[in-house]
Amino acid sequence: MNITSQIKQPILTEMELFEKKFYESMSSKVALLNRITYYIVNRKGKQMRPMFVFLTAKMVSEGKVNERTYRGACVIELIHTATLVHDDVVDDSNRRRGFFSLNALWKNKIAVLVGDFMFSKSVLLATDHNDLDLLSVISKTIKQISEGELLQLEKARKLDITEEVYYEIIRQKTATLIAACCEIGVLSNGADEALAKKMQDFGTYTGIGYRDWK
């Protein structure tokens, strides 16, 4: 059993139900969008970020999760997927996880719009259920991810990156989303702001370590 499978053991039931809810969260009346989201769901990655949501949520609630936890996990995965779609367009990449990227199959215009659709779905999923605390987290996360991408592009052009800037790019592009996972996980189960901040810090340092090691 690999390390990912071991980590997933305490949340197997939650992850199975999550996959169904995640697919439903991307549903649309547009047939093209549904074909593309079906393509995405069937070529999923390790789903590490939703795992962080469920593990931290269960940590503060005697091993239980609720519908807000599932919504939080879906919101996070929508944001993560949207950033990957946009990254492939920015990097002009034709492959993702061993398969053709969306921009390779449907071209850049459609890929960008699909990414935008997922960002909007993540926001609507929170607002439709009045999860204003979760909305605050994801809004800040999307902002920081965008700033990190632009900072990286700027430094790639100027070739003047420093170690401090390197870690700032990692924090914004990778760690901020894992921090959001941990924060949303505990907030979904009623944690106070102090604990949410501690879990956010934990996620930030974990994300920096993960990206730097990767």
Side-chain angles (χ1 to χ4, degrees):
M1 184 182 295
N2 60 37
I3 186 64
T4 304
S5 298
Q6 292 179 45
I7 295 171
K8 196 179 284 189
Q9 280 299 308
I11 52 171
L12 276 177
T13 301
E14 289 80 6
M15 289 300 295
E16 288 176 3
L17 182 54
F18 159 76
E19 290 187 22
K20 178 182 177 182
K21 290 179 178 291
F22 177 57
Y23 182 63
E24 290 173 349
S25 73
M26 292 190 290
S27 64
S28 168
K29 294 180 180 179
V30 179
L32 175 60
L33 265 173
N34 287 330
R35 288 200 300 273
I36 294 173
T37 54
Y38 181 81
Y39 180 84
I40 291 170
V41 168
N42 283 277
R43 286 152 186 84
K44 65 190 178 196
K46 296 185 288 292
Q47 297 182 320
M48 182 180 73
R49 288 153 190 85
M51 288 165 58
F52 271 106
V53 175
F54 289 116
L55 288 169
T56 53
K58 294 184 89 170
M59 182 185 72
V60 297
S61 61
E62 298 180 350
K64 299 176 182 177
V65 300
N66 54 42
E67 282 302 314
R68 263 168 56 87
T69 309
Y70 284 105
R71 286 199 297 274
C74 288
V75 162
I76 287 293
E77 193 68 356
L78 282 166
I79 294 173
H80 177 55
T81 305
T83 60
L84 295 182
V85 172
H86 283 173
D87 278 353
D88 287 339
V89 173
V90 170
D91 298 336
D92 197 23
S93 175
N94 291 322
R95 307 289 289 185
R96 169 65 62 181
R97 296 167 180 161
F99 298 94
F100 285 117
S101 60
L102 296 195
N103 52 298
L105 293 173
W106 285 282
K107 306 304 179 185
N108 285 347
K109 288 182 180 179
I110 289 178
V112 169
L113 290 171
V114 169
D116 292 345
F117 170 78
M118 290 182 177
F119 276 131
S120 66
K121 274 286 192 174
S122 70
V123 173
L124 284 171
L125 193 58
T127 56
D128 285 349
H129 295 87
N130 204 33
D131 295 325
L132 299 184
D133 52 347
L134 305 190
L135 178 61
S136 175
V137 174
I138 64 172
S139 298
K140 290 183 289 186
T141 301
I142 293 171
K143 171 180 173 290
Q144 290 192 57
I145 291 172
S146 300
E147 289 177 342
E149 186 65 45
L150 287 167
L151 178 59
Q152 178 175 281
L153 290 171
E154 178 190 17
K155 294 304 176 182
R157 286 183 177 183
K158 293 183 177 180
L159 298 177
D160 62 348
I161 192 168
T162 62
E163 183 178 7
E164 182 181 0
V165 172
Y166 166 76
Y167 279 107
E168 179 62 11
I169 291 171
I170 288 177
R171 186 191 69 78
Q172 290 184 313
K173 285 194 61 179
T174 300
T176 187
L177 191 53
I178 295 179
C181 296
C182 298
E183 187 176 3
I184 283 176
V186 296
L187 283 174
S188 72
N189 263 331
D192 59 28
E193 290 185 9
L195 179 55
K197 179 62 172 63
K198 288 180 180 179
M199 294 310 301
Q200 180 191 48
D201 291 342
F202 166 78
T204 297
Y205 293 127
T206 301
I208 290 173
Y210 166 75
R211 184 62 187 180
D212 199 33
W213 168 78
K214 185 178 179 182

